[in-house]
Amino acid sequence: MEITPHVEAIRSDLEAVAAGDEATLAVAERLSRALDSSLQLRLLDALGQAALELSDQLPSGRVDVRLAGRDVTLVVVSDERPAAPLAEDEGTARLTLRMPEGLKSRVESAAAREGVSTNAWLVRAVSRGLDQQPRRRIGNRVTGFAQS
């Protein structure tokens, strides 16, 4: 996503408000140019906050904000690690699980999409849930590489 068109739209809005008087228009143009970098920074802050809020809603993984020049990309990064296979000498146990019919249908659909049995899908889901590392919130901090 390119941020520049959004900054230019805000600049155009400011100039449209100042239209009519040549002196006011000149002041609005100078003001909008002065605000250019601040507007870009605020838009990046908003995207970073949105990424954090989306990350909190994901069952696993996070949303990263990546910058390449003035081009911003939101990327979903999966934290999933492959489930560790059961040791051969480890026995299995039977467990009766009760769940709402709608959830059961969703589990069966997800297992079918992955091409595994419902049981294998549930074992993997439980294993991922138990192995999941606690999320570290970094707040409004921006990390990465920048070039000016």
Side-chain angles (χ1 to χ4, degrees):
M1 162 190 335
E2 182 70 29
I3 290 181
T4 304
H6 301 287
V7 172
E8 288 174 0
I10 294 170
R11 183 181 300 136
S12 295
D13 291 344
L14 180 61
E15 291 171 1
V17 169
D21 178 19
E22 197 64 35
T24 306
L25 183 58
V27 170
E29 286 177 4
R30 285 195 308 258
L31 184 59
S32 67
R33 301 255 182 249
L35 291 173
D36 187 54
S37 60
S38 179
L39 289 172
Q40 288 183 12
L41 183 60
R42 296 299 176 201
L43 287 172
L44 287 175
D45 284 344
L47 288 171
Q49 186 64 38
L52 285 173
E53 289 178 17
L54 288 171
S55 293
D56 287 342
Q57 296 176 17
L58 292 175
S60 65
R62 66 187 185 284
V63 177
D64 281 351
V65 178
R66 297 188 181 169
L67 302 173
R70 292 185 177 218
D71 196 26
V72 179
T73 307
L74 297 176
V75 180
V76 176
V77 179
S78 176
D79 288 338
E80 290 184 10
R81 291 175 281 146
L86 295 175
E88 288 189 30
D89 60 344
E90 213 175 309
T92 60
R94 180 175 292 267
L95 175 71
T96 302
L97 176 65
R98 297 183 195 282
M99 67 178 74
E101 189 63 40
L103 181 59
K104 177 181 178 278
S105 297
R106 290 175 54 202
V107 168
E108 290 170 340
S109 296
R113 276 193 309 273
E114 293 182 24
V116 296
S117 70
T118 302
N119 187 69
W121 190 91
L122 285 168
V123 168
R124 267 198 263 162
V126 169
S127 179
R128 279 192 305 251
L130 293 173
D131 292 342
Q132 195 173 46
Q133 299 293 325
R135 286 209 182 142
R136 209 183 89 193
R137 256 185 106 88
I138 57 173
N140 289 333
R141 212 169 106 196
V142 177
T143 60
F145 175 80
Q147 182 177 356
S148 61

